[in-house]
Amino acid sequence: MLKIVKTSLAIAATSLLFSGTAQADINVALQNICAIVKTDDKGQLRKKMKKVQSDYRMKLKDYYSGVSCGGKSLIRLAVVSDAVETGELLVKKMPKNDLSAPEKDGKTLLAWISENGLESSPITAVINDRI
């Protein structure tokens, strides 16, 4: 009985150790994603997303809300930076429901875009088509 308890505790401690390591690794993997979006490098963004998906089994929707680029989400950064290629890729990879959901500040993408006068952005048209 005591052996089972010790084994269970060892397994639990090991799993906690590895989960902390995985969290740190994903942060390293996503470290320069903001720069990639800002420079409108669609090929590099696609590679980054594929690597994260293959290494960590995470899709864009899984880590999108956890990434902040100067207080902006990835799609908001693309709209502000006029990064049309990467912005369109991000919009197409996000589920429709997540595009119309409020972000951390409580505003949806379209509400934030209209509030900042960015309706003329080509990314806005793609968002409207997806929603």
Side-chain angles (χ1 to χ4, degrees), residues 83-131:
V84 178
E85 295 292 319
T86 56
E88 287 180 1
L89 177 64
L90 289 168
V91 169
K92 289 177 182 177
K93 292 289 184 179
M94 285 292 289
K96 292 178 184 181
N97 293 338
D98 291 353
L99 287 174
S100 57
E103 292 192 359
K104 288 181 183 178
D105 62 356
K107 298 175 188 166
T108 63
L109 279 171
L110 290 176
W112 180 84
I113 287 170
S114 65
E115 186 177 283
N116 289 295
L118 300 167
E119 294 91 356
S120 62
S121 171
I123 300 170
T124 305
V126 175
I127 294 170
N128 283 325
D129 291 343
R130 289 268 305 155
I131 296 177

Side-chain angles (χ1 to χ4, degrees), residues 10-51:
I11 291 171
T14 305
S15 67
L16 287 174
L17 178 69
F18 284 122
S19 68
T21 304
Q23 182 67 24
D25 290 344
I26 189 71
N27 289 337
V28 170
L30 293 172
Q31 186 173 7
N32 65 341
I33 197 166
C34 294
I36 292 170
V37 170
K38 193 171 186 176
T39 58
D40 201 19
D41 191 347
K42 183 179 177 180
Q44 200 62 22
L45 180 62
R46 188 180 303 276
K47 285 180 190 176
K48 177 73 70 176
M49 290 167 56
K50 282 184 180 179
K51 181 159 179 55

Side-chain angles (χ1 to χ4, degrees), residues 70-81:
K72 295 178 184 72
S73 67
L74 292 171
I75 295 175
R76 288 181 182 187
L77 178 67
V79 172
V80 170
S81 303

